[in-house]
Amino acid sequence: MTKLPAASRLQAIADLLRTGEGIGIAAMAERFSVTMETIRRDLVILEKEGLLTRVHGGAIPVSRAAPLPSRLASLSAEKAVIGELAAQTAARDGWIFITHGSTALAVAKALDDGPSVSVMTNMPVIAEVLQSGIKHRVTLTGGEYDYANGALMGEQVLEAISECLFDTAIIAAYGVDPVHGLVESSKYLQRFKRLLFERSRRRIFVADHSKFGASGAYVSVSLSDIGTIVTDEPPPAPFADRFKDAGVRVVYPQKNETNNMEEDTNGQ
């Protein structure tokens, strides 16, 4: 990309953040043909203007409430990689729950390429991706449709989950805190993920790199209970150390290798 004047570059970064997803420093430096230090200074300026929150390796918008179609365009290549890795990690012969979210949708797309699976989800587009009734079996939870998230929400979702015991739950992360674990934006999402955690034998959490350090007001899953997390690049040092201490298995692409920091010994 041709080098932009500083003001134009700041505007372009702000426009990218309006999609509702995070941005990475390295990717932005390459995109705008500048150094990573230049991007770091840009992010400091935009943070002072109230347009973003800086996290390790990048930034996230102050509000991540952009409609799903906008979020699907952000970090799409990274999410596709996560989807493939998570699909390889998931056992296909059981009863699977897939949460809503752009990264969770990438997992569903990857699962569609393999053998038939049985899935419950609160995200209607996942049923379409998995060609429900033709190739795979998909059950929707019911609930009130939330356009911004492309998801079914409310008590009906919780009731549907509480009536089942899933072999595997694929859970999209809102944010990952290095001390507390998975964090959420609302009390409802905290309840939703805690219940799903309780009603599944094994959990696979999916999170692109922008979710590490992303803030949230409610803790849904403690660090020691995460078990397995699939991401698109090695986690930053503070997370890597804490994941190792907590026995979290981290899966990411690195020269076609998987890094298992420590196998989970609790069947998670």
Side-chain angles (χ1 to χ4, degrees):
M1 181 175 180
T2 305
K3 263 193 173 183
L4 295 173
S8 299
R9 187 178 62 249
L10 287 167
Q11 184 60 54
I13 293 173
D15 290 342
L16 287 169
L17 284 161
R18 289 191 183 98
T19 66
E21 291 288 345
I23 58 174
I25 290 173
M28 290 300 98
E30 182 177 354
R31 182 186 184 106
F32 296 112
S33 302
V34 295
T35 66
M36 290 198 293
E37 188 57 38
T38 296
I39 296 298
R40 288 190 184 95
R41 288 195 295 268
D42 289 345
L43 298 185
V44 170
I45 293 170
L46 292 171
E47 185 174 47
K48 288 179 178 177
E49 293 178 1
L51 297 176
L52 59 81
T53 299
R54 285 182 296 150
V55 297
H56 186 94
I60 57 173
V62 173
S63 172
R64 285 181 279 169
L68 180 67
S70 298
R71 286 185 276 129
L72 290 174
S74 176
L75 301 176
S76 57
E78 289 86 345
K79 291 171 184 176
V81 170
I82 294 170
E84 292 290 344
L85 287 174
Q88 293 167 18
T89 304
R92 292 172 175 267
D93 57 353
W95 186 211
I96 301 171
F97 192 100
I98 305 177
T99 68
H100 63 283
S102 54
T103 309
L105 180 58
V107 179
K109 290 177 179 177
L111 285 171
D112 183 48
D113 294 333
S116 178
V117 294
S118 295
V119 168
M120 177 180 280
T121 183
N122 66 321
M123 190 175 192
V125 71
I126 286 177
E128 298 177 19
V129 164
L130 291 174
Q131 305 173 63
S132 181
I134 299 176
K135 187 174 181 180
H136 305 282
R137 175 174 168 259
V138 182
T139 301
L140 293 175
T141 57
E144 183 176 349
Y145 186 69
D146 176 2
Y147 170 75
N149 289 296
L152 301 169
M153 300 288 197
E155 292 300 319
Q156 281 183 264
V157 176
L158 304 181
E159 290 170 7
I161 293 171
S162 67
E163 292 172 356
C164 299
L165 178 60
F166 302 98
D167 295 290
T168 303
I170 296 171
I171 304 172
Y174 178 82
V176 186
D177 183 273
V179 175
H180 302 290
L182 260 65
V183 293
E184 311 299 335
S185 62
S186 70
K187 191 74 174 175
Y188 170 77
L189 290 176
Q190 180 192 52
R191 291 175 60 204
F192 168 61
K193 292 184 184 177
R194 280 186 174 178
L195 179 60
L196 190 53
F197 183 92
E198 294 169 1
R199 305 301 296 178
S200 56
R201 294 188 174 94
R202 179 173 181 244
R203 280 74 64 177
I204 299 172
F205 297 93
V206 293
D208 68 68
H209 64 269
S210 73
K211 301 300 191 295
F212 293 96
S215 60
Y218 304 93
V219 177
S220 58
V221 180
S222 66
L223 196 68
S224 60
D225 285 332
I226 288 177
T228 298
I229 188 164
V230 183
T231 186
D232 58 300
E233 60 183 45
F239 288 91
D241 294 340
R242 289 187 177 275
F243 285 159
K244 184 176 181 179
D245 292 342
V248 177
R249 180 189 180 206
V250 183
V251 181
Y252 58 82
Q254 185 179 30
K255 296 181 181 179
N256 297 320
E257 294 179 359
T258 297
N259 178 36
N260 296 332
M261 291 186 172
E262 185 174 327
E263 288 293 337
D264 175 38
T265 58
N266 297 318
Q268 295 174 8

